[in-house]
Amino acid sequence: SSFPDNRNAHNTVFGGFLMRLALENSWTAAFLYCGTRPKLTHICDISFEKPVPVTSFIKLTSYIVYTEMNYVQIMTVADVLDTSGGQVTTNLFYSTSPKVA
């Protein structure tokens, strides 16, 4: 979840906060996949689909979606969980890392 200090002028979560969380989650997925400390070299694409309310719970899930030669591409999905148990995808983040740092 986020805190009011992470909000922007529209009272939604600041995009930079979401980007930091996504990159940390991507790094962890790359580390688990490669077995060594990765170095994220590129942020390939970021899509902000829907605003994230400050009071919401954010669920981040990272996937290794592509590998070639010495590189892995990681997709991180940010979902907002609501009180009824549903979830809505709000952001997608793609980053690339060499398999060996």
Side-chain angles (χ1 to χ4, degrees), residues 48-63:
F48 292 94
E49 305 290 330
K50 296 182 175 131
V52 177
V54 173
T55 58
S56 60
F57 288 100
I58 303 166
K59 175 185 168 189
L60 292 166
T61 310
S62 291
Y63 304 94

Side-chain angles (χ1 to χ4, degrees), residues 21-40:
L21 290 177
L23 284 176
E24 289 172 354
N25 210 35
S26 297
W27 185 91
T28 303
F31 178 79
L32 291 172
Y33 180 80
C34 299
T36 60
R37 292 177 58 89
K39 179 180 177 184
L40 295 177

